[in-house]
Amino acid sequence: MTDVVALGEVMLRLDPGEGRIRTARSFQVWEGGGEYNAVRGLRRCFGLRTAVVTALADNAVGRLIEDLILQGGVDTSLIRWVPDDGVGRAARNGLNFVERGFGIRGALGVSDRADTAVSHLRKGDIDWEAVFAAGPRWFHTGGIFAGLSDTTADVAEEAMATARRHGVTVSYDPNYRPSLWHGRGGAARAREVDLRLVRHSDVVVGALALSGPRPGEERLPAGAVPEALAEVSDLVPGARLPATTLRGVPSAGVNDWSSAAWSAETGFVAGPRMPGLHVLDRIGSGDGFAAGLIHGLLTGHGLWPGPLTAPCLERALAYGTVHGALTMTTPGDVSMVSLAEVEAFVNGGSAAVRR
């Protein structure tokens, strides 16, 4: 039986390593996608059984993405395969070129994802009753999937509402990508979609994206975070737990990293602070946080969705913060971290050599 199911696009990431996209002569490939990255981390690091609902064009690139997903241990049985027409007129697979950045040069993503197979999903294409009748404990999706097309938000809402009817915990990450909304209403339209979908969620990951007048615009001083999370809770009264990462970016290679959450049961709870964190590749760190948070809530004392205590939430935030931090120490979107490594830092470990 699957523990956690995610809905989202899985793209082929092309990574020029230490070089630039514009001058590269070779790329390393990974798989990646905001919602998928979370369940991949839950499977490979935390040992939960996970599956991804997505769609891929049935060609060699799609099968490469499938092979990478299989290597990550995520169940591929819920992938919807779309016939390939030879050139991608009807449906194609998404590509994501990503530079890691260095020093004053920030990370850069150049996505090639218009008209992908998953962007064509419509309500009714997935038998969500069957997916959730199989007994998963948690469902995760977010604003990246919802922003792919005018129909994907409807699919996300259909899935989230069905999950809730089956008593499955639902998490949603607003995850705003300006490129997805360019020419389609911009930030205002993204906010409208987020507020429509987040009302079906129990846990909001990246909740500060809902604060302020525009998605992802608010950059708050530490002292303002508790009030902002409480305001998000008021904005989305059906959600039990708004949580967020907190990041300062002195340079592409050094970030200040932490997290926080708020609930009516616990009030404001801060995660561990990791100032001056050295970063190899920051892409996927927020998804790594989501994976650790979900793990902590599902496996902590007073198991979710039971009563939530401050110590349980503190430990869940620690798992999320540490896993997200360690995800930034390796290349690619996905986690290459072991549970032993995460727990060593959660329990006060260091980066000393292990022999």
Side-chain angles (χ1 to χ4, degrees):
M1 185 178 70
T2 301
D3 295 305
V4 185
V5 175
L7 167 65
E9 181 169 46
V10 187
M11 295 190 293
L12 189 68
R13 172 175 168 176
L14 293 101
D15 183 350
E18 296 176 353
R20 305 297 308 272
I21 295 167
R22 65 179 68 185
T23 56
R25 296 298 179 267
S26 63
F27 293 88
Q28 187 164 12
V29 297
W30 318 89
E31 86 280 23
E35 298 84 5
Y36 163 79
N37 293 339
V39 291
R40 207 272 194 186
L42 281 164
R43 178 68 189 96
R44 292 298 283 174
C45 178
F46 297 107
L48 296 179
R49 295 157 298 184
T50 65
V52 62
V53 179
T54 193
L56 295 169
D58 193 356
N59 57 27
V61 175
R63 293 298 173 176
L64 171 58
I65 296 171
E66 179 196 33
D67 188 66
L68 292 165
I69 295 171
L70 287 167
Q71 291 179 50
V74 177
D75 183 357
T76 60
S77 64
L78 299 177
I79 293 177
R80 180 182 175 89
W81 289 98
V82 178
D84 178 42
D85 63 13
V87 294
R89 288 191 184 93
R92 51 190 294 273
N93 297 305
L95 305 177
N96 192 25
F97 298 80
V98 181
E99 294 178 7
R100 303 172 198 168
F102 185 82
I104 61 172
R105 175 171 60 84
L108 172 67
V110 181
S111 59
D112 180 16
R113 68 196 310 180
D115 292 319
T116 55
V118 72
S119 74
H120 293 169
L121 283 180
R122 296 177 177 274
K123 284 180 66 175
D125 284 345
I126 307 297
D127 186 350
W128 293 111
E129 291 291 341
V131 170
F132 296 118
R137 304 161 66 193
W138 197 291
F139 175 71
H140 179 68
T141 192
I144 295 178
F145 173 77
L148 293 176
S149 70
D150 293 335
T151 63
T152 51
D154 296 334
V155 176
E157 185 168 35
E158 179 187 35
M160 296 168 78
T162 307
R164 273 262 180 110
R165 286 199 303 273
H166 282 265
V168 176
T169 297
V170 176
S171 56
Y172 182 84
D173 187 341
N175 239 343
Y176 174 60
R177 297 288 184 270
S179 58
L180 291 177
W181 295 97
H182 180 72
R184 298 178 52 236
R189 176 62 178 151
R191 169 56 56 83
E192 180 183 328
V193 169
D194 280 338
L195 292 178
R196 170 186 151 198
L197 296 180
V198 77
R199 64 191 176 92
H200 299 289
S201 68
D202 301 286
V203 177
V204 185
V205 183
L208 286 187
L210 296 177
S211 67
R214 294 162 62 88
E217 184 178 74
E218 200 77 359
R219 294 293 181 267
L220 298 172
V225 172
E227 182 179 354
L229 286 175
E231 288 175 358
V232 171
S233 184
D234 291 339
L235 186 66
V236 192
R240 186 176 173 190
L241 181 67
T244 189
T245 58
L246 301 170
R247 187 196 301 268
V249 189
S251 78
V254 178
N255 287 189
D256 299 324
W257 179 250
S258 187
S259 64
W262 189 95
S263 76
E265 298 154 284
T266 64
F268 177 77
V269 176
R273 294 181 64 252
M274 304 182 78
L277 182 71
H278 288 267
V279 175
L280 177 64
D281 186 342
R282 66 170 278 176
I283 306 301
S285 54
D287 309 319
F289 168 76
L293 179 73
I294 293 168
H295 164 78
L297 292 172
L298 285 176
T299 61
H301 299 293
L303 296 184
W304 182 277
L308 185 62
T309 65
C312 177
L313 183 52
E314 285 175 4
R315 191 155 183 88
L317 286 171
Y319 273 113
T321 306
V322 170
H323 186 240
L326 288 170
T327 298
M328 286 188 270
T329 68
T330 57
D333 288 31
V334 297
S335 170
M336 301 180 187
V337 182
S338 72
L339 179 57
E341 288 171 326
V342 172
E343 291 191 328
F345 278 92
V346 167
N347 295 321
S350 72
V353 175
R354 297 193 308 275
R355 303 179 196 263

